[in-house]
Amino acid sequence: MGTDVDSFKVWERMGTIKLEEMDSIKLMNRVDTKYLTIESVLEKVLEKAADNGYRALEVEGSTISPYNSLYFDTDSLKMFQDHHNRRLVRQKVRTRVYVSTSQTFLEIKRKNNKGRTKKKRTEIPSEAFADFRSNASAARFLSEHSDYSVDLIKPRLETLFRRITLVNRAKTERLTIDTSLRFINHDTSLTADLGSAVIIELKQDGRAESEMKRILLDCRVKPVRISKYCIGTTVTNPSAKSNRFKVKVRKIEKTTGEKIIVR
């Protein structure tokens, strides 16, 4: 699976922002709006973003950073099923490594019945990425901030992707753009990738209007409810109850014009 994102000419004029400047826009308590598109349309979005003063996060000299996330769930995949069954109050548990810096975190994402997402995280040793459960402080953090304990969950799905992060001129919103999406299922050993699909997420403290929403509308990129964990589990775990998510899989395939290949 290849990507042409690195060769986009927009990088020649896109402003950049450093990690230390991001402190004021962590948006740990936020409303998220997701979008689905393809790499060729992404280039148009980035061109318009540069025209409107958006800057790209630069890490270790690059504006495209590799990420790995590993989602944990119960034997019955309760967190997956809560999402599938449209439960408004739900959560996800994952470890994440920022490959460029090797920083590794345990993250708890909770969504409330008003659609707001609140994320809490704690840094963990890099070797705990694959399984944090034997780390005492991480286990304590899980029990304090989630409905689960380490004896109830185990690693289920790994997601690998490359991320572009944009920040608007006023530093009031953040846009994450995920490309080269790939899944590895720890239960079935099946893998899959989403080809040229791009998942965009606009993160704001509220539902205020934004220039990025206008840009995406101009490029005919519409909001869509989509979860990398849920899509990845649907395509790599045939035994998971996932009828509702199969509609999302078909939407991805229609958008990209490519069938998702599972190996």
Side-chain angles (χ1 to χ4, degrees), residues 4 14 18 21 33 52 65 80 121 128 135 165 181 207 214 217 231-232 250:
D4 295 323
M14 175 76 78
K18 302 295 185 182
E21 297 180 69
T33 309
N52 285 274
S65 300
F80 172 83
R121 70 180 188 178
N135 182 287
T165 301
L181 290 141
R207 297 187 183 273
R214 184 191 65 77
L217 182 62
I231 292 297
R250 290 194 291 271

Side-chain angles (χ1 to χ4, degrees), residues 239-257:
S239 65
K241 177 189 173 186
S242 56
N243 290 339
R244 188 166 71 85
F245 294 136
K246 289 176 182 176
V247 176
K248 307 287 187 183
V249 171
R250 290 194 291 271
K251 182 175 181 64
I252 293 170
E253 293 178 332
K254 183 177 180 181
T255 299
T256 63

Side-chain angles (χ1 to χ4, degrees), residues 65-87:
S65 300
Y67 281 50
N68 288 10
S69 296
L70 180 56
Y71 290 84
F72 291 70
D73 211 333
T74 66
D75 287 341
S76 63
L77 300 182
K78 185 178 187 307
M79 286 178 261
F80 172 83
Q81 293 299 339
D82 281 350
H83 199 145
H84 181 272
N85 296 334
R86 295 187 172 93
R87 183 174 179 181

Side-chain angles (χ1 to χ4, degrees), residues 21-253:
E21 297 180 69
M22 297 288 286
D23 288 345
S24 62
I25 44 174
K26 287 183 178 178
L27 304 180
M28 302 298 272
N29 185 19
R30 67 193 191 224
V31 174
D32 301 340
T33 309
K34 294 183 180 178
Y35 302 81
L36 174 68
T37 189
I38 55 177
E39 289 167 4
S40 58
V41 176
L42 172 61
E43 186 168 17
K44 299 173 186 176
V45 172
L46 292 173
E47 292 284 354
K48 290 178 180 289
D51 290 341
N52 285 274
Y54 282 79
R55 293 187 289 164
L57 174 64
E58 185 178 72
V59 180
E60 299 295 319
S62 177
T63 52
I64 308 176
S65 300
Y67 281 50
N68 288 10
S69 296
L70 180 56
Y71 290 84
F72 291 70
D73 211 333
T74 66
D75 287 341
S76 63
L77 300 182
K78 185 178 187 307
M79 286 178 261
F80 172 83
Q81 293 299 339
D82 281 350
H83 199 145
H84 181 272
N85 296 334
R86 295 187 172 93
R87 183 174 179 181
L88 295 179
V89 179
R90 57 182 186 263
Q91 60 192 278
K92 290 190 177 76
V93 176
R94 72 187 181 203
T95 52
R96 169 167 287 179
V97 57
Y98 298 80
V99 178
S100 298
T101 63
S102 297
Q103 275 190 295
T104 307
F105 294 90
L106 168 63
E107 300 183 338
I108 315 295
K109 289 182 68 176
R110 302 183 71 109
K111 179 161 283 190
N112 66 22
N113 57 8
K114 300 184 186 302
R116 293 186 71 87
T117 299
K118 190 170 185 179
K119 182 170 76 173
K120 289 187 177 294
R121 70 180 188 178
T122 183
E123 191 161 4
I124 59 176
S126 57
E127 60 269 20
F129 168 78
D131 195 343
F132 70 91
R133 293 175 297 172
S134 61
N135 182 287
S137 62
R140 185 166 54 252
F141 182 86
L142 177 74
S143 64
E144 290 173 351
H145 298 288
S146 82
D147 298 333
Y148 300 90
S149 57
V150 292
D151 58 313
L152 294 177
I153 62 174
K154 69 177 185 179
R156 299 296 178 182
L157 184 85
E158 190 169 351
T159 64
L160 303 90
F161 53 94
R162 303 175 73 221
R163 171 166 287 184
I164 301 162
T165 301
L166 300 185
V167 179
N168 66 338
R169 186 183 285 113
K171 296 184 180 180
T172 57
E173 65 183 19
R174 186 172 78 235
L175 190 78
T176 59
I177 302 166
D178 296 341
T179 68
S180 303
L181 290 141
R182 182 168 175 256
F183 307 112
I184 303 172
N185 195 296
H186 285 228
D187 289 321
T188 66
S189 298
L190 294 175
T191 67
D193 69 66
L194 299 190
S196 63
V198 176
I199 295 178
I200 298 174
E201 191 167 1
L202 178 61
K203 307 179 183 191
Q204 302 170 286
D205 273 334
R207 297 187 183 273
E209 288 300 314
S210 75
E211 190 65 25
M212 183 51 66
K213 285 185 177 179
R214 184 191 65 77
I215 290 171
L216 292 168
L217 182 62
D218 286 348
C219 294
R220 299 187 177 184
V221 180
K222 298 179 180 179
V224 62
R225 295 177 184 272
I226 193 168
S227 157
K228 289 190 287 292
Y229 172 54
C230 294
I231 292 297
T233 299
T234 297
V235 298
T236 61
N237 187 344
S239 65
K241 177 189 173 186
S242 56
N243 290 339
R244 188 166 71 85
F245 294 136
K246 289 176 182 176
V247 176
K248 307 287 187 183
V249 171
R250 290 194 291 271
K251 182 175 181 64
I252 293 170
E253 293 178 332

